Amino acid sequence: MAKKKSKPAPKLCTYCGNPAAPVTWDDPFPKALWAGTSQDRPLKVPSCEACNNRSNESILKHFFIVLDGRFYPETITHFKTHRGKGDFRTFRSMWAEINGNLYLYADEKVTAKFVKMFMGIRRHLLHRSWFYVPAEQFVIFKIDRDEVSYQARVLPMSVGGPNHAQPLHPQFTEVLNEQMRHKFRDFRFEWFADDEEGMVMV
């Protein structure tokens, strides 16, 4: 008498840790940030349907217009539409005018999207050794470089500040100056530490 084959354990959702039934496949780097053409094969991680579909990742595209001019024309056109007016209000809430200059801040909404991105990248990098870590345990930093050192600011940033910078340890400076091994489209990424205290990704 033939033995019944046991069903494989359901895949866990990358973002909520619950069994994904049905499994959908999410892009760790949101398609909203794919500019131009590329020969890179899309990175995919398992996700439940709710986590895959409920995240409004277009806010990252709006944020990125100050970093990459390729997003600018389409985003400005979108802001002028009836549907885009609400998105523009969200985008404008991330700006602060200080001494006549406008500054853009990675607030709670943008930071949550970056956390989701890093959760997906972590699963892609760890592959079979991946285990679930909730979003609340991810700490994201914005890193700036001046002439002599790197400065880090914890996200989310408070619109209008103050958002105090802390100098990075020289060990991190050495790592950040190295070439990152992994690439997808316009993004380069790397992980530098994986121990009982967590994983460091850039």
Side-chain angles (χ1 to χ4, degrees):
M1 188 173 176
K3 290 184 178 179
K4 287 185 178 180
K5 291 184 177 179
S6 58
K7 291 184 179 179
K11 291 183 180 295
L12 299 183
C13 173
T14 302
Y15 308 110
C16 69
N18 295 320
V23 175
T24 64
W25 294 91
D26 185 62
D27 301 285
F29 292 100
K31 287 184 178 179
L33 299 183
W34 296 9
T37 59
S38 173
Q39 297 299 315
D40 291 338
R41 296 181 62 184
L43 310 181
K44 297 286 186 180
V45 294
S47 169
C48 69
E49 196 169 17
C51 287
N52 198 347
N53 295 331
R54 73 183 176 196
S55 179
N56 179 20
E57 291 164 340
S58 63
I59 191 174
L60 283 178
K61 185 175 182 179
H62 305 157
F63 185 83
F64 266 61
I65 69 171
V66 300
L67 305 175
D68 191 327
R70 290 174 293 180
F71 296 120
Y72 188 84
E74 182 182 342
T75 301
I76 295 302
T77 300
H78 169 68
F79 283 159
K80 293 178 180 178
T81 66
H82 178 73
R83 183 181 174 189
K85 289 181 179 178
D87 289 337
F88 177 75
R89 286 193 293 270
T90 299
F91 177 68
R92 186 64 183 85
S93 69
M94 295 185 287
W95 290 85
E97 184 173 352
I98 302 173
N99 298 326
N101 296 315
L102 287 173
Y103 296 88
L104 182 64
Y105 291 82
D107 66 0
E108 292 87 353
K109 301 181 189 72
V110 173
T111 301
K113 304 302 180 284
F114 281 130
V115 168
K116 185 173 185 282
M117 186 187 299
F118 275 98
M119 292 177 82
I121 296 169
R122 175 179 173 272
R123 182 156 197 177
H124 169 75
L125 290 172
L126 290 178
H127 195 48
R128 293 183 183 277
S129 60
W130 173 86
F131 56 93
Y132 176 68
V133 174
E136 294 76 21
Q137 293 187 25
F138 281 75
V139 181
I140 308 292
F141 296 87
K142 177 181 183 291
I143 298 176
D144 298 306
R145 183 179 184 181
D146 59 25
E147 294 180 358
V148 294
S149 64
Y150 287 96
Q151 305 287 326
R153 290 177 172 84
V154 179
L155 300 186
M157 297 176 73
S158 173
V159 176
N163 296 282
H164 300 292
Q166 297 291 333
L168 282 182
H169 189 279
Q171 180 181 357
F172 283 101
T173 300
E174 294 175 10
V175 167
L176 290 170
N177 287 331
E178 295 177 2
Q179 182 69 36
M180 298 185 188
R181 292 174 296 172
H182 305 281
K183 177 184 178 297
F184 177 72
R185 298 181 73 93
D186 294 322
F187 300 93
R188 290 193 175 276
F189 56 103
E190 184 62 276
W191 60 298
F192 301 111
D194 185 14
D195 55 32
E196 65 277 0
E197 294 184 359
M199 183 176 183
V200 177
M201 290 183 291
V202 177

